[in-house]
Amino acid sequence: MTQHPPTAPLDRPVVGSYPTYEGAQRAVDFLADSRFPVERTAIIGSDLRMVETVLGRLTRGRAALAGAGSGAWFGLLIGLLLSLFAAGNHHVLVLMISGLFYGAIFGALFGFAGHAFTGGRRDFASRSQTVAARYDVVAEAEVAEEAKNLLIKLGWREG
């Protein structure tokens, strides 16, 4: 197998440009299905921006509830791990339930306190993501023409 020296993605010619990441991903998948050496390609997002979607108001009660939920999962995991070292089978259930209970209690306390210490500066819950205005599929110069021709065929098939 021949090893090609890696080149920086920005030095590669653009073989396709797409408005969504899914479109660029579909193009690279098509190249892979066509037996193209996809290890010689990259997807580059341009004109990045951060989008924060506000999910709702965050009160101390909701912060405590969210903390209780994540604490319960963590406590259950700790209880499960501790049960590996338990002497009898009846202790396994007790350890898991105890871990779940104490995890929920401490998670609720930490969630409540964490939100209270913000002093009302962030009274909302949100989800952040980075999105690009466009996604370019690039390929190494030696195989760029082949990739362009294959992606033209994909465009014909989808068009």
Side-chain angles (χ1 to χ4, degrees), residues 1 18 25 45 64 90 93 99 106 110 130 134 158:
M1 185 169 145
Y18 304 90
Q25 194 175 25
H90 64 282
L93 190 59
F106 281 106
F110 282 119
T130 303
R134 76 173 192 283
E158 290 182 347

Side-chain angles (χ1 to χ4, degrees), residues 41-66:
T41 65
I43 298 174
I44 300 174
S46 300
D47 300 326
L48 299 178
R49 64 179 182 253
M50 195 271 292
V51 177
E52 184 171 12
T53 304
V54 177
L55 301 174
R57 181 169 161 69
L58 185 62
T59 62
R60 289 185 182 154
R62 283 189 177 180
L65 189 62

Side-chain angles (χ1 to χ4, degrees), residues 15 18 22-34 36 38-39 41-43 136-138 151 154:
V15 296
Y18 304 90
E22 290 76 21
Q25 194 175 25
R26 186 172 49 254
V28 174
D29 186 52
F30 178 78
L31 291 173
D33 292 344
S34 301
F36 181 84
V38 291
E39 64 275 4
T41 65
I43 298 174
D136 295 331
V137 176
V138 297
L151 293 179
L154 173 65

Side-chain angles (χ1 to χ4, degrees), residues 84-157:
L84 294 174
F85 304 105
N89 287 338
H90 64 282
H91 295 299
V92 171
L93 190 59
V94 171
L95 284 171
M96 289 175 55
I97 291 173
S98 297
L100 184 112
F101 176 76
Y102 286 115
I105 296 296
F106 281 106
L109 289 173
F110 282 119
F112 181 86
H115 185 268
F117 285 133
T118 65
R121 286 186 305 272
R122 185 155 172 102
D123 286 341
F124 62 93
S126 64
R127 179 186 63 223
S128 298
Q129 68 184 98
T130 303
V131 294
R134 76 173 192 283
Y135 297 88
D136 295 331
V137 176
V138 297
E140 292 178 7
E142 301 84 29
V143 295
E145 196 61 37
E146 180 186 357
K148 280 183 187 178
N149 291 335
L150 285 169
L151 293 179
I152 288 171
K153 290 179 184 177
L154 173 65
W156 288 343
R157 202 159 68 164

